[in-house]
């Protein structure tokens, strides 16, 4: 059991160092990190956002973001897996009934993991959810649909499913992973985040009791932080990738790179042109970390005093951090090869995993729309819309 923010940060830092040495090999072999995820779960780190009233540490958004940044700096795939877990713990926190909170928070404290079955392929757009909850005469539901990019589902005890009920409003059904009619297929073949097992979930008339269905649509009827918190964790993943790529580039240049013959220096690490470039890249990393911390503080401030203005400030701060951290991760992961030299391109070294992870993860939602909302907010005072991606 983790008791407070400081213990959560110590635990995450220790786990990052534990997971770092095997990260490249797991990626290269596409070896799913089951043992590592079990180790992470056993520390109690996945329960740190359970409210104090239910026995949890109830850590701040700032602490949770740093936890994710630390883990992603070591293994971006492993860090990605529990992102949905925390998002759906937060759904229960916002819209779960007292009975639902008591039951599911106890599950989380006992080490149960949430996955996700959220996105669908081939629909009109991201919000065109066609998975259906059909209510029966006894009040229970039958759940039918197909979900893609279901990160965490393969490792989950419970799979939260985003679906529309007969009233066409969004709900989340919390379904046990072994429920009859539910199938999880490990068919993820992305070029990056190879070991997240972000595959397909099929639901064929899966029975769901009413007690396991949460009215998620109510989240967006007033000021909310669901989107800001979920995006904050994505931002932390990008910042972590940037940090991991820069650290590996520095180690490579110190220990393996040869100096360019025109430099006049004995080692690559003494080359003033390389020193300049590393300084530029570290500025990018530091700026990403600073924007992440600023965004996390805005989320915490809004949580303490939530209204339309504080929610807007939090969403805008997170949008700025996410747009910047994504570009920083891509630039630093690409520059790794620029500063390291030809040998860095060897496939056997697998240094390209940082770029592959950054490129794949930053496709999650477009930065261009976040920048649009920033511009509207600063120029015209237009608050950002209420949805789960902002």
């Amino acid at each position: 059991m983790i008791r407070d923010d400081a213990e959560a940060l110590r635990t995450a830092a220790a786990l990052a160092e534990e997971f770092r040495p095997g990260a490249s090999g797991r990626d290269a072999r596409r070896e799913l990190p089951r043992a590592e995820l079990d180790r992470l779960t056993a520390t109690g780190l996945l329960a740190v956002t359970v409210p104090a009233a239910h026995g949890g540490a109830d850590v701040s958004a700032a602490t949770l973001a740093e936890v994710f940044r630390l883990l992603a700096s070591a293994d971006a795939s492993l860090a990605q897996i529990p992102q949905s877990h925390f998002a759906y713990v937060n759904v229960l926190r916002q819209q779960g009934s007292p009975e639902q909170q008591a039951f599911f928070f106890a599950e989380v404290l006992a080490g149960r993991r949430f996955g996700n079955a959220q996105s669908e392929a081939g629909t009109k757009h991201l919000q065109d959810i066609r998975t259906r909850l059909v209510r029966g005469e006894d009040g229970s539901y039958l759940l039918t649909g197909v979900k893609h990019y279901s990160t965490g589902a393969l490792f989950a005890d419970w799979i939260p499913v985003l679906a529309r009920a007969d009233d066409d409003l969004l709900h989340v059904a919390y379904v046990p992973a072994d429920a009859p009619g539910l199938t999880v297929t490990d068919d993820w073949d992305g070029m990056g985040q190879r070991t997240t097992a972000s595959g397909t979930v099929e639901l064929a008339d899966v029975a769901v009791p009413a007690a396991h269905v949460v009215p998620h649509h109510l989240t967006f009827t007033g000021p909310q932080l669901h989107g800001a918190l979920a995006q904050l964790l994505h931002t932390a993943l990008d910042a972590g990738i940037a940090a991991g790529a820069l650290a590996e580039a520095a180690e490579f240049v110190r220990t393996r790179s040869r100096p360019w013959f025109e430099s006049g220096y004995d080692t690559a690490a003494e080359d003033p042109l390389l020193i300049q470039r590393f300084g530029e890249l570290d500025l990018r990393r530091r700026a990403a970390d600073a924007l992440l911390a600023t965004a996390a503080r805005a989320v915490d401030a809004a949580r303490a005093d939530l209204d339309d203005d504080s929610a807007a400030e939090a969403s805008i701060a997170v949008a700025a951090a996410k747009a910047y951290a994504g570009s920083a991760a891509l630039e630093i992961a690409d520059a790794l090869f620029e500063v390291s030299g030809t040998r860095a391109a060897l496939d056997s070294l697998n240094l390209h995993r940082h770029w592959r992870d950054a490129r794949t993860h930053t496709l999650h939602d477009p930065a261009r729309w976040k920048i649009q909302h920033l511009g509207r907010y600063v120029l015209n005072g237009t608050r950002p819309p209420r949805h789960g991606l902002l």
Side-chain angles (χ1 to χ4, degrees), residues 13-83:
L15 286 174
E17 292 310 305
E18 185 177 324
F19 297 153
R20 194 183 311 279
S24 178
R26 287 191 295 272
D27 173 90
R29 298 185 297 271
R30 198 180 179 274
E31 182 180 290
L32 299 183
R34 294 181 183 274
E36 290 76 16
L37 191 59
D38 287 344
R39 171 81 177 103
L40 188 156
T41 305
T43 66
L45 202 58
L46 296 186
V48 294
T49 60
V50 171
H54 290 269
D58 202 5
V59 302
S60 67
T63 291
L64 189 62
E66 180 63 5
V67 164
F68 269 76
R69 192 194 70 81
L70 288 166
L71 293 174
S73 72
D75 187 335
S77 287
L78 179 57
Q80 173 70 47
I81 292 169
Q83 190 273 341

Side-chain angles (χ1 to χ4, degrees), residues 166-192:
D166 296 333
D167 54 12
D168 210 37
L169 296 174
L170 283 176
H171 293 69
V172 175
Y174 289 75
V175 182
D178 60 355
L182 186 153
T183 304
V184 181
T185 304
D186 177 22
D187 55 2
W188 170 243
D189 65 348
M191 67 173 181

Side-chain angles (χ1 to χ4, degrees), residues 153-170:
L154 192 69
F155 311 103
D157 300 289
W158 291 90
I159 301 178
V161 182
L162 193 62
R164 295 192 184 275
D166 296 333
D167 54 12
D168 210 37
L169 296 174
L170 283 176

Side-chain angles (χ1 to χ4, degrees), residues 332-356:
I332 293 171
D334 180 71
L336 184 156
F337 301 96
E338 169 198 337
V339 297
S340 299
T342 307
R343 188 185 303 181
L346 293 176
D347 192 57
S348 59
L349 295 177
N350 200 25
L351 295 177
H352 48 67
R353 73 184 184 282
H354 300 291
W355 185 89
R356 289 188 288 99

